[in-house]
């Protein structure tokens, strides 16, 4: 499969628990982006990586959120002490280089109960 | 930060008619404007994009126009087909934000046979 993949596709967790999502970008894509999408809204930017370097974080990314891309390939997004307001679809996208088309993954749907 | 407004939020047309979706942006530094189509339960997919050095771009039944002075851009779909039914998102981005996409809220297009 040559597309962007994300795991898991669905996650249900209780408030206060920690969750971690994984994104595998298209091979050789240097840029990796995380977005969050709630029902009826457009995706909102969270953070992005150039290879292993995290270059920008949105103000939406509170201290409970952390993202890594340790070897410049896959990335993880962790949410600590989840809240109901964290319920959303978390989308990952990758691009070959800056300014190129961003290819989206299928997303991880998080439900916090 | 960048603010992208998108109108209308819903659009219903008959098969064969044209559909037009309009977006405005606030940051004059934005220079890359993609349009994504998202079918229910699916990932966003790029359908067309335009850069600020171009005023218009066309790809078969889809065209995008950009007016940098007025800071607005539009998506035009001609000869609509039922399979064009989806949510369409416009986005704006710029180099010094790593081309992180700022999306509009989306337009739900319904094409009736």
């Amino acid at each position: 499969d040559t597309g962007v993949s994300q795991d898991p596709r669905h996650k249900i967790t209780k408030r206060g628990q920690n969750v971690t999502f994984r994104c595998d970008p298209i091979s050789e894509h240097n840029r990796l982006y995380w977005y969050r999408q709630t029902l009826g809204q457009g995706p909102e930017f969270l953070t992005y990586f150039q290879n292993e370097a995290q270059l920008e974080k949105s103000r939406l990314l509170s201290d409970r959120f952390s993202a890594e891309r340790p070897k410049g390939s896959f990335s993880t997004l962790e949410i600590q002490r989840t809240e109901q307001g964290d319920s959303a679809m978390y989308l990952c996208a990758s691009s070959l280089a800056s300014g190129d088309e961003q290819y989206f993954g299928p997303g991880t749907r998080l439900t916090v109960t | 930060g960048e603010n992208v407004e998108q109108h209308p939020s819903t659009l219903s047309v008959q098969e064969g008619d044209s559909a037009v979706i309009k977006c405005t942006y606030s940051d004059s530094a934005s220079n890359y404007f993609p349009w994504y189509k998202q079918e229910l339960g699916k990932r966003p997919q790029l359908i067309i994009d335009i850069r600020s050095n171009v005023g218009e771009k066309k790809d078969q039944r889809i065209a995008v126009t950009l007016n940098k002075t007025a800071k607005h851009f539009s998506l035009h779909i001609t000869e609509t087909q039922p399979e064009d039914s989806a949510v369409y998102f416009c986005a704006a981005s710029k180099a010094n934000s790593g081309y992180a996409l700022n999306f509009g809220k989306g337009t739900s297009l319904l094409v009736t046979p």
Side-chain angles (χ1 to χ4, degrees):
Chain A
D1 185 359
T2 57
V4 179
S5 61
Q6 293 186 245
D7 184 71
R9 295 291 305 277
H10 303 274
K11 178 71 176 179
I12 300 173
T13 191
K14 292 185 177 180
R15 188 177 55 190
Q17 298 295 305
N18 299 342
V19 294
T20 300
F21 311 140
R22 175 179 170 127
C23 170
D24 285 89
I26 294 172
S27 179
E28 299 183 356
H29 276 198
N30 295 324
R31 285 285 174 105
L32 188 149
Y33 300 82
W34 285 99
Y35 296 88
R36 180 174 69 185
Q37 185 176 27
T38 53
L39 198 62
Q41 301 294 317
E44 297 173 295
F45 167 71
L46 294 178
T47 189
Y48 83 90
F49 292 84
Q50 169 74 30
N51 298 315
E52 67 275 10
Q54 187 174 19
L55 296 186
E56 186 162 333
K57 293 190 288 186
S58 161
R59 64 182 184 279
L60 293 175
L61 215 65
S62 75
D63 291 345
R64 298 184 297 105
F65 288 70
S66 62
E68 294 183 341
R69 195 183 182 196
K71 298 182 180 179
S73 56
F74 73 90
S75 176
T76 58
L77 178 68
E78 181 184 16
I79 309 174
Q80 297 183 325
R81 304 181 302 283
T82 52
E83 301 173 356
Q84 286 190 315
D86 297 331
S87 296
M89 176 74 83
Y90 289 83
L91 292 163
C92 173
S94 71
S95 66
L96 184 61
S98 177
D100 287 344
E101 174 182 353
Q102 292 184 31
Y103 294 83
F104 280 82
T108 294
R109 181 169 295 283
L110 173 66
T111 302
V112 181
T113 61
Chain B
E2 173 69 276
N3 182 43
V4 178
E5 299 281 345
Q6 182 171 349
H7 299 280
S9 57
T10 61
L11 180 58
S12 182
V13 299
Q14 286 200 316
E15 183 177 1
D17 288 349
S18 295
V20 180
I21 303 171
K22 299 182 179 182
C23 289
T24 61
Y25 61 99
S26 60
D27 190 342
S28 57
S30 290
N31 60 357
Y32 175 61
F33 308 91
W35 286 87
Y36 282 83
K37 175 183 180 182
Q38 188 174 31
E39 297 177 20
L40 192 62
K42 300 282 185 68
R43 69 189 76 188
Q45 291 193 302
L46 182 77
I47 55 170
I48 197 167
D49 57 11
I50 192 167
R51 299 185 188 272
S52 59
N53 58 347
V54 175
E56 184 174 359
K57 185 176 178 180
K58 190 173 181 181
D59 182 3
Q60 299 182 354
R61 297 186 297 109
I62 295 173
V64 57
T65 58
L66 171 65
N67 183 326
K68 284 193 300 181
T69 303
K71 289 189 280 191
H72 68 70
F73 55 114
S74 300
L75 177 71
H76 305 253
I77 306 174
T78 59
E79 301 171 18
T80 53
Q81 302 166 1
E83 50 266 39
D84 294 330
S85 297
V87 179
Y88 291 80
F89 293 98
C90 64
S93 63
K94 59 185 179 183
N96 63 4
S97 291
Y99 289 101
L101 300 175
N102 296 282
F103 284 88
K105 291 190 175 182
T107 296
S108 179
L109 174 64
L110 177 65
V111 181
T112 53

